[in-house]
Amino acid sequence: MAKQFDVLIVGGGVIGCSIAYQLSKRGKKVLVMEKNRLASKASKAAAGMLGVHTELTGGSPLYRLAQNSRNLYPALAQELKEVTGMDIEYVENGMIKLARTEEEAQNLVTVASQTEQDEQVEWLSPLKLSAFEPHLSKQVAGGLFIPRDGNVAAPKLTEALGLASVRLGADVKEYTDVYDFIVEGSRITGVQTSIGSYSASEIIVAGGAWSQSLLGKIGLTLHSFPVKGECFSVKCPRELVERTIFTEGCYIVPKVGGRLLIGATEHANTFDESISVSGMMSLMKKATEILPDLIHTDWEKAWSGIRPQTHGGLPMIGRSERWEGLSIATGHYRNGILLAPITGVMMADLLEGKENPLLHSYVGSSRKWN
Ligand code: FAD
Ligand code: GLY
């Protein structure tokens, strides 16, 4: 076998790269193996929203993880800049979750009143909303403003995490397909790949929506499924929205350089990454209902990605109970960019045997994966 590593990570998406970065910072010798290029799948497609309140609620086991993870971003962006020179385009410009109906407005007013004091949120009446974002349609019933939320450039984040890991001593092998495991008794000791066999003390599968097909080789069932999402972007000569606007079935994210990113569709149980006319039409309809002036912008491009979802609706983060030396970190579905920093920290703590109350409470509440 070629070389001994402390940790071998399968998958060079944001989750694999975030774990690689945290472990490399702690002096571990890490190898990342990626079938394509770093940041080529879901982590390339993502809108990069860091929204604690838009897709999660206070009752979700992910809520604390999401809040902690988002709060790691200012320091992480700075660190990555120092180590790699790369700008991940992190902005803390806030998000607004729109209410389209009076009923949605009532629900969001309740959310605002129940949100704990450590998290700032503000209910915006239609009048106040229109002062915040004057180009939004007047046919909305208000919105929940979350000032600490923001967004990043997801592909740049993933690449920067990968590059920072390399600068700290990790190896990254792109265009390398991991197709099986090496098993010794009850332990996984390495992997077989398109460029040969590699061993490591610990193996982590962070293969996104493709994790199941690899883990099936050693009899593990993840209860996961792929969910395709399509997006498009436009170029705006003038600023139409200052903050991310989120509503059921559609969001509009202002990006650095005067772009607006509009997402995203949901098609379950497909790995087909093609972009459908119907998907684009439905997104355009929803987006122009919220922001009518969008029609005056210039088309940039469209793309899609495959989100890793689980039947339990929660990411699978932890050690295998069946195989020693094997861990998994996947199933982050719509929130992998938001959750990447905390997932990296939790996995590094887990492998170092360090107590992490967040991971402890999360693993306790999430569904077992084997
Ligand atoms: P991926 O990025 O898919 O990476 C997995 C990698 O593993 C892939 O590169 C794959 O090639 C590799 N791999 C798999 N199997 C093997 C193998 N056998 N050998 C070698 N390599 C292998 N999240 C947010 O937080 N905010 C957002 O705004 C947001 N917007 C999104 C918008 C869209 C349209 C989509 C599709 C997703 C969005 N997400 C968002 C979700 C987020 O993108 C995902 O949760 C996250 O990228 C998952 O990261 P990952 O590393 O698990 O998977
Ligand atoms: N979180 C946005 C998406 O997955 O589309």
Side-chain angles (χ1 to χ4, degrees):
M1 257 182 248
K3 196 169 176 181
Q4 182 70 43
F5 292 90
D6 295 322
V7 185
L8 187 157
I9 299 171
V10 182
V14 74
I15 299 300
C17 289
S18 180
I19 298 168
Y21 176 59
Q22 292 299 333
L23 285 167
S24 301
K25 267 174 74 174
R26 300 178 192 199
K28 300 284 181 222
K29 183 67 192 156
V30 177
L31 171 63
V32 178
M33 306 198 105
E34 166 55 50
K35 195 187 312 195
N36 303 288
R37 297 199 59 184
L38 295 189
S40 56
K41 293 297 180 179
S43 306
K44 182 181 184 188
M49 290 179 290
L50 308 174
V52 171
H53 291 267
T54 41
E55 300 186 17
L56 304 170
T57 61
S60 165
L62 287 181
Y63 179 79
R64 284 282 166 221
L65 258 54
Q67 192 189 37
N68 273 272
S69 202
R70 180 202 59 194
N71 295 351
L72 292 173
Y73 264 98
L76 179 65
Q78 186 61 36
E79 269 175 43
L80 291 175
K81 187 80 186 268
E82 282 163 16
V83 180
T84 67
M86 286 181 73
D87 178 4
I88 62 168
E89 297 176 9
Y90 167 70
V91 281
E92 190 181 311
N93 55 349
M95 288 178 73
I96 296 175
K97 185 169 184 176
L98 283 191
R100 311 285 296 276
T101 61
E102 281 308 321
E103 195 188 341
E104 283 179 13
Q106 268 314 318
N107 288 339
L108 291 180
V109 170
T110 308
V111 169
S113 67
Q114 289 174 349
T115 301
E116 289 176 33
Q117 277 177 348
D118 62 350
E119 183 67 22
Q120 236 183 308
V121 296
E122 183 187 350
W123 168 251
L124 303 177
S125 66
L127 205 64
K128 200 157 183 195
L129 177 62
S130 142
F132 266 58
E133 297 288 357
H135 292 278
L136 284 183
S137 160
K138 303 295 174 270
Q139 309 302 312
V140 290
L144 187 71
F145 175 45
I146 309 113
R148 286 216 59 196
D149 285 354
N151 75 81
V152 287
K156 286 189 182 168
L157 164 70
T158 308
E159 283 162 18
L161 287 166
L163 180 57
S165 307
V166 171
R167 294 266 159 89
L168 297 173
D171 277 8
V172 173
K173 299 206 181 297
E174 294 183 307
Y175 302 111
T176 302
D177 188 4
V178 177
Y179 52 76
D180 210 343
F181 295 94
I182 299 165
V183 178
E184 286 175 26
S186 58
R187 190 166 189 92
I188 304 294
T189 57
V191 292
Q192 287 170 350
T193 82
S194 49
I195 55 165
S197 300
Y198 285 80
S199 67
S201 310
E202 299 278 353
I203 313 285
I204 302 175
V205 174
W210 296 268
S211 300
Q212 171 62 72
S213 61
L214 180 61
L215 290 165
K217 299 276 172 66
I218 44 170
L220 296 182
T221 307
L222 280 190
H223 303 288
S224 62
F225 58 101
V227 182
K228 174 163 88 168
E230 299 155 302
C231 293
F232 70 92
S233 58
V234 297
K235 289 176 273 183
C236 270
R238 66 199 170 105
E239 188 177 86
L240 291 185
V241 283
E242 199 180 313
R243 305 155 188 90
T244 292
I245 308 299
F246 187 96
T247 181
E248 288 314 320
C250 180
Y251 48 77
I252 302 174
V253 189
K255 289 290 183 184
V256 169
R259 297 168 64 230
L260 288 179
L261 189 160
I262 294 98
T265 60
E266 293 247 321
H267 303 279
N269 299 312
T270 180
F271 284 98
D272 172 6
E273 292 177 86
S274 58
I275 298 152
S276 63
V277 172
S278 63
M280 287 300 106
M281 284 176 71
S282 87
L283 277 183
M284 282 178 197
K285 181 170 181 297
K286 288 175 189 162
T288 47
E289 276 169 13
I290 304 169
L291 187 65
D293 284 346
L294 200 65
I295 203 145
H296 304 300
T297 60
D298 292 330
W299 175 262
E300 190 185 51
K301 59 183 174 178
W303 64 93
S304 76
I306 308 294
R307 306 175 182 95
Q309 171 63 313
T310 64
H311 287 293
L314 294 172
M316 295 162 180
I317 303 170
R319 282 189 182 282
S320 168
E321 290 180 352
R322 178 151 162 209
W323 294 105
E324 290 164 46
L326 178 70
S327 300
I328 183 168
T330 188
H332 293 71
Y333 185 39
R334 293 181 61 108
N335 289 295
I337 306 302
L338 171 63
L339 294 168
I342 201 72
T343 302
V345 171
M346 291 193 310
M347 285 304 292
D349 283 351
L350 184 73
L351 264 56
E352 282 194 326
K354 210 163 145 187
E355 178 61 17
N356 181 319
L358 265 181
L359 178 65
H360 189 75
S361 70
Y362 177 66
V363 171
S365 60
S366 69
R367 182 191 164 132
K368 291 270 174 288
W369 51 276
N370 60 25

